[in-house]
Amino acid sequence: MNKNDTINDQIREAMRPVKICPLCGRDNIKTKVSFKGRSMYRNKRKTQYCPCGWSRIIPTEREAMIQLGLID
């Protein structure tokens, strides 16, 4: 396993949806898709939310790379 494989695993892990809410521990998390801008494909935003008030935006591949510090 080389360095590139571990980086790809980190990116996939950052983009993976959450199954159990980290705040209340329930597993009824819903996913909502919204579009930002004109392009339906590139600007698709997935948001996960729970009835307790917790929410999270699932990052796109580029956003996940920025979060991990791989690109600026």
Side-chain angles (χ1 to χ4, degrees):
M1 193 149 132
N2 59 9
K3 185 181 172 203
N4 207 17
D5 288 341
T6 57
I7 290 172
N8 287 339
D9 289 341
Q10 286 178 327
I11 292 170
R12 258 188 242 111
E13 188 64 40
M15 293 170 61
R16 185 167 289 140
V18 175
K19 293 192 173 54
I20 296 173
C21 175
L23 256 183
C24 64
R26 288 186 280 187
D27 63 348
N28 56 348
I29 289 183
K30 300 189 174 34
T31 305
K32 184 167 66 174
V33 177
S34 61
F35 299 101
K36 190 179 109 186
R38 255 184 246 168
S39 173
M40 296 286 268
Y41 173 71
R42 289 185 66 209
N43 299 321
K44 196 187 296 185
R45 291 282 173 270
K46 283 187 181 173
T47 308
Q48 290 188 309
Y49 62 96
C50 181
C52 73
W54 174 85
S55 67
R56 167 186 183 245
I57 296 173
I58 298 176
T60 58
E61 190 170 2
R62 183 175 172 80
E63 289 170 344
M65 289 171 82
I66 292 170
Q67 282 178 3
L68 292 170
L70 301 173
I71 54 176
D72 295 332

